[in-house]
Amino acid sequence: MVKITLPDGTVKECEEGITPAEIAREISEGLFRKAIGAEVNGVLWDLNRPIDFDATVRIVTIDDEKAPEIYRHTMSHIMAQAVMRYFGADKVKLGIGPVIENGFYYDFEVVGKRITEEDLPKIEELMKKIIKEDLPIERFELPKDEAIKFMEEKGQTYKVELIKEINDDTVSFYKQGEFVDLCRGPHLPSTGKVKHFKLLSLAGAYWRGDERNPMLQRIYGTAFAKKKDLEEYLKMLKEAKKRDHRKLGPQLELFMIDTDVAPGMPFFLPKGAIVLNELMKFSRELHIEDGYKEVITPLVMNVKLWHQSGHWDHYKENMYFTEKEGTMYAIKPMNCPGHILIFKSSTISYRDLPVKYFEFGKVHRYERSGVLHGLMRVRAFTQDDAHIFCSEDQIEEEIKGVIMLIDRIYSPFGFTYRAELSTMPEDHMGDESVWRRAEKALQNALDKIGLEYKIAEGEGAFYGPKIDFMIKDSIGREWQCATVQLDFLMPERFDVNYIGADNKEHRVVMIHRAIFGSLERFFGILIEHFAGAFPTWLAPVQVVIIPISDRHVNYSKEIMGKLEESGIRVEMDDRRETLGYRIRDNQMKKIPYMLILGDKEESERKISVRTRENKEFKSLNLEDFISKILKEINSRSRELYLK
RNA sequence: GCCAGCGUAGCUCAAUCGGCAGAGCGGCUGAUUUGUAAUCAGCAGGUUGUGGGUUCGAGUCCCACCGCUGGCUCCA
């Protein structure tokens, strides 16, 4: 007998080998019908897999938050089965087929053939058939050596490679009809349990993500328990496409990219420059409040500086160089060496620490042409970069300060974000004990501030461990923005010291950090996040005045003058077009407020306002409007004051 | 760089089997003086990404190059 503990705390004595399905049936018929799997001691479990130990069991139903993990994984098997039916099982070599955030994928090699986009609908048809067949899905285990033989016989060379690396003595397989796959599971009890899916795209992907390996073909798809959810997700993808910053950017005259002249290096148009400048103004305010000193350093510096910093050895591939009078210069890919030179230009006492230099530093990094992506992945960008020079016992406090500043800087945008602590990579400078000390300091700061974080082993920069902050954009994609990197090594290389209370030299500790990360990328994220409808404080044009006819231009000019005096970005649209036309046109430019001025307003000395959210407000007092909009702008509100 | 797809007017797209390169929007000109998401008329706009090939004839078929898009570990 085994003890089964249920979520409500009841404990049941059950036969050894009882399955979650049986447990569910005992509880209620309704639960049994909706059950697709279980969580056994916190591990996802097949509905029909026996439990032969004491365990806490929670039944996972089709609408459980853990359910997608199960049915999308099964869907990826169904897709693999369909691909094998389509091309012939002996022609298809399977890679891996995991669940990802909003769906799943599977990697294939089709011997002697290429999967094309036209194949996807046909594969979808075959998948529907497999779902209709409602094949039972069975789990079985094999000893490792037998498993290897089994997969070798099927010609599944990639699977053989995977099995060889598994540390257990036995490995598990899942079988549905003629299809068998190496898999940890769990899976649905049969292929008929989930019906709503869509294959989304086809892409190349190297086996195990390594470009020295063969390239496989990856099919992405998604699946949902309810038809409505699938439709909503597909709608969201369409919506995301509409807000694509690469489309909205040029359309709203924010930026352009001339791929012929400067691939990966955006040009910012007058309106885009306003947004960037507002972002910088905001950032600058908070940094100065927080004790940072702004500096400006050269873009091009002698290559010997980069030899000393170690960038030459570790980062050369990503750097641009230029040569004059027989001297080699590098265009800076990072701002740290420049800030170090400033720090070293005077003698610093322990009483001065921490010293915090801040710069909107424009850096250039060569990225391979295939990875460039609008403003999100560029070759030239501006970091809101700072370096904190402090003593070892100040580290925790300073890291905490940075984390709090990050929160303040993100707050007006309404993003959710998460943190990730990255540890020592293979290619690194300095010895391990220094690294572990640095990692510990970062961890302490995170723990004390109570921020949740994940650990990414071996993902640190070559000069130190780091905490990355990922924010989520409208498509649900995550972008790395803020980063805090501890660095015990650069101070060694440059011999960076302060004078202690003992009147002796001590090594400083350096903290690199950026919050927007790249202003360009952050701008891109904002365009998509707001779908181009920026909060008023960021909007390139905050108010547009529309005189109904020519005879209202004078009154309009008078109003415009008053708005300008108040520092509001205002334009007048007195084109000889109909009122309807001009309203529509300005609405599409996502200008927050339109002031419509005609006979009525002029005689009453009032204004009428139409917001980009389609609301009308008649006969408002101008002074009142100005003071309220100023309040909205100065508080960097995300919402229009007129709703 | 690699895999798949795509390059036609500023933008969105059309052009049957290889048979006269077209439409809407935008732009410009003129008329219209407008009350809350598109007034009417006219005009201009192209070496169909570039180069080569097949053909009587190529936007369309073939080859090379350039560019763009989606992706290239979220480790069974």
Side-chain angles (χ1 to χ4, degrees):
Chain A
M1 298 297 271
V2 292
K3 280 199 190 97
I4 301 296
T5 311
L6 299 172
D8 64 359
T10 50
V11 180
K12 283 186 184 233
E13 289 280 335
C14 300
E15 294 279 333
E16 197 173 309
I18 191 166
T19 64
E22 288 158 358
I23 296 170
R25 173 163 264 155
E26 271 181 41
I27 298 169
S28 83
E29 193 63 29
L31 184 67
F32 172 71
R33 272 202 309 271
K34 273 165 66 187
I36 60 158
E39 215 170 20
V40 176
N41 290 340
V43 179
L44 285 178
W45 201 265
D46 296 306
L47 196 60
N48 293 317
R49 183 172 171 193
I51 303 168
D52 48 14
F53 45 85
D54 293 349
T56 303
V57 175
R58 192 174 73 85
I59 302 297
V60 173
T61 60
I62 189 79
D63 27 55
D64 191 277
E65 57 163 336
K66 290 282 171 73
E69 218 175 301
I70 299 175
Y71 64 70
R72 285 177 182 159
H73 201 165
T74 298
M75 199 57 84
S76 95
H77 278 209
I78 293 172
M79 178 171 77
Q81 185 172 18
V83 168
M84 288 181 122
R85 284 188 183 179
Y86 184 64
F87 291 102
D90 53 324
K91 299 260 168 43
V92 179
K93 289 192 191 183
L94 301 173
I96 57 168
V99 172
I100 54 176
E101 187 164 344
N102 288 308
F104 60 87
Y105 67 81
Y106 215 118
D107 289 344
F108 306 99
E109 181 187 329
V110 183
V111 178
K113 272 224 180 91
R114 286 279 146 216
I115 307 173
T116 69
E117 214 107 339
E118 283 93 76
D119 295 324
L120 297 188
K122 293 171 193 156
I123 293 167
E124 279 183 348
E125 281 312 305
L126 288 171
M127 288 172 71
K128 281 181 191 155
K129 235 170 103 191
I130 294 167
I131 290 168
K132 216 168 178 185
E133 286 168 24
D134 199 16
L135 303 166
I137 299 174
E138 293 155 41
R139 180 181 195 278
F140 66 93
E141 293 186 357
L142 286 179
K144 219 170 128 176
D145 50 340
E146 271 180 52
I148 291 171
K149 230 172 91 195
F150 182 56
M151 279 292 142
E152 268 173 353
E153 275 164 17
K154 288 180 173 288
Q156 293 297 342
T157 49
Y158 298 111
K159 293 292 180 188
V160 171
E161 193 181 321
L162 291 171
I163 298 170
K164 283 184 177 161
E165 286 173 22
I166 293 174
N167 281 328
D168 292 337
D169 299 335
T170 61
V171 295
S172 58
F173 288 86
Y174 281 80
K175 180 174 184 301
Q176 57 199 47
E178 80 287 359
F179 177 81
V180 183
D181 194 6
L182 168 76
C183 186
R184 182 167 41 204
H187 282 279
L188 298 175
S190 72
T191 59
K193 284 270 180 185
V194 177
K195 301 178 179 69
H196 310 295
F197 72 96
K198 174 100 184 127
L199 300 188
L200 297 173
S201 62
L202 182 67
Y206 296 103
W207 169 236
R208 322 201 88 179
D210 188 331
E211 55 193 301
R212 289 165 301 196
N213 286 336
M215 167 132 350
L216 308 181
Q217 282 187 286
R218 174 173 298 177
I219 301 177
Y220 285 92
T222 192
F224 289 87
K226 293 191 192 119
K227 192 172 183 200
K228 206 178 116 238
D229 291 340
L230 173 66
E231 278 166 1
E232 240 165 60
Y233 179 72
L234 295 177
K235 218 173 100 193
M236 191 275 281
L237 287 183
K238 246 173 102 183
E239 169 67 20
K241 222 174 187 173
K242 269 198 302 197
R243 345 174 130 207
D244 192 321
H245 76 284
R246 292 166 302 178
K247 215 175 151 54
L248 287 177
Q251 211 176 328
L252 299 173
E253 299 172 4
L254 300 170
F255 70 89
M256 59 174 219
I257 294 177
D258 187 328
T259 55
D260 200 34
V261 171
M265 304 190 187
F267 290 70
F268 290 95
L269 308 178
K271 287 183 174 147
I274 288 173
V275 179
L276 279 179
N277 280 324
E278 283 294 340
L279 288 174
M280 287 197 275
K281 192 174 140 211
F282 169 54
S283 161
R284 187 174 273 136
E285 266 171 33
L286 293 193
H287 278 87
I288 288 169
E289 242 173 65
D290 219 31
Y292 289 85
K293 306 280 181 217
E294 187 167 350
V295 297
I296 298 169
T297 64
L299 251 62
V300 178
M301 290 179 273
N302 194 308
V303 78
K304 68 187 177 193
L305 181 75
W306 306 102
H307 277 121
Q308 194 179 353
S309 69
H311 285 92
W312 178 265
D313 293 331
H314 295 270
Y315 208 72
K316 198 174 42 195
E317 297 308 313
N318 292 295
M319 290 168 68
Y320 291 96
F321 297 98
T322 174
E323 186 256 299
K324 283 278 174 252
E325 298 183 345
T327 305
M328 192 63 112
Y329 295 87
I331 302 170
K332 67 173 175 182
M334 295 185 194
N335 304 300
C336 23
H339 292 186
I340 289 173
L341 294 182
I342 293 177
F343 185 89
K344 278 176 66 91
S345 67
S346 64
T347 308
I348 301 287
S349 150
Y350 71 97
R351 278 188 279 250
D352 303 323
L353 296 185
V355 170
K356 308 200 274 192
Y357 292 136
F358 170 66
E359 174 172 13
F360 287 112
K362 180 124 189 193
V363 295
H364 290 73
R365 298 178 185 177
Y366 168 74
E367 301 280 358
R368 294 188 291 179
S369 54
V371 308
L372 299 177
H373 181 96
L375 295 181
M376 303 298 200
R377 191 82 184 253
V378 290
R379 287 177 174 156
F381 58 99
T382 314
Q383 294 179 303
D384 57 338
D385 200 6
H387 293 88
I388 300 172
F389 298 85
C390 63
S391 61
E392 213 171 318
D393 56 324
Q394 289 174 321
I395 292 174
E396 238 178 77
E397 201 51 39
E398 287 310 310
I399 299 279
K400 268 159 59 188
V402 172
I403 295 172
M404 290 190 296
L405 183 60
I406 288 171
D407 195 63
R408 287 175 66 202
I409 288 186
Y410 284 173
S411 73
F413 306 105
F415 286 123
T416 55
Y417 63 92
R418 65 182 184 88
E420 202 169 286
L421 174 62
S422 299
T423 59
M424 191 176 77
E426 265 177 51
D427 183 17
H428 65 273
M429 292 165 65
D431 59 67
E432 196 171 335
S433 66
V434 175
W435 269 86
R436 297 308 170 202
R437 230 162 63 218
E439 288 166 5
K440 191 72 203 149
L442 290 183
Q443 207 160 355
N444 283 346
L446 280 167
D447 289 338
K448 285 198 179 154
I449 230 162
L451 193 69
E452 261 182 64
Y453 60 94
K454 256 184 20 193
I455 293 184
E457 296 288 348
E459 295 289 311
F462 71 82
Y463 48 80
K466 60 176 181 175
I467 305 169
D468 289 323
F469 291 77
M470 323 285 190
I471 66 183
K472 221 174 225 191
D473 74 11
S474 57
I475 318 177
R477 272 183 311 192
E478 283 196 319
W479 294 95
Q480 187 208 308
C481 289
T483 178
V484 189
Q485 312 188 345
L486 206 48
D487 188 350
F488 284 124
L489 304 164
M490 205 63 78
E492 295 288 332
R493 289 219 158 213
F494 281 91
D495 192 25
V496 189
N497 304 313
Y498 65 92
I499 308 297
D502 56 2
N503 201 27
K504 291 205 175 88
E505 288 198 331
H506 297 268
R507 194 65 89 217
V508 302
V509 174
M510 229 176 130
I511 300 167
H512 311 247
R513 41 109 298 179
I515 294 178
F516 290 141
S518 146
L519 272 141
E520 286 77 357
R521 173 191 282 176
F522 198 80
F523 188 13
I525 294 167
L526 287 183
I527 294 171
E528 300 198 355
H529 186 66
F530 293 121
F534 295 105
T536 308
W537 70 278
L538 280 175
V541 180
Q542 296 165 322
V543 175
V544 61
I545 297 178
I546 305 178
I548 287 178
S549 83
D550 281 353
R551 65 177 180 277
H552 309 113
V553 167
N554 275 337
Y555 180 58
S556 297
K557 278 186 179 158
E558 184 190 328
I559 302 283
M560 181 153 112
K562 289 191 178 156
L563 290 169
E564 277 171 342
E565 273 170 39
S566 309
I568 293 163
R569 293 188 288 269
V570 54
E571 280 182 359
M572 179 158 70
D573 185 355
D574 59 352
R575 285 177 296 175
R576 295 169 63 86
E577 296 283 356
T578 58
L579 182 64
Y581 178 91
R582 286 177 292 160
I583 285 175
R584 181 171 192 274
D585 202 46
N586 286 294
Q587 190 113 354
M588 289 200 304
K589 288 179 183 163
K590 321 220 179 194
I591 296 169
Y593 297 99
M594 283 177 252
L595 268 45
I596 319 278
L597 304 180
D599 289 337
K600 200 161 169 285
E601 287 74 16
E602 187 163 356
S603 64
E604 290 176 355
R605 310 292 294 165
K606 299 261 180 169
I607 58 171
S608 286
V609 181
R610 183 193 171 97
T611 70
R612 68 175 166 212
E613 288 160 359
N614 257 332
K615 303 261 168 53
E616 284 173 44
F617 301 86
K618 300 220 165 112
S619 293
L620 299 186
N621 179 290
L622 178 67
E623 280 66 39
D624 195 41
F625 174 75
I626 290 179
S627 76
K628 295 232 172 88
I629 193 179
L630 281 179
K631 205 173 142 207
E632 177 190 332
I633 291 166
N634 293 333
S635 65
R636 297 197 167 94
S637 164
R638 236 174 302 143
E639 295 188 347
L640 303 186
Y641 94 87
L642 284 174
K643 299 185 69 68

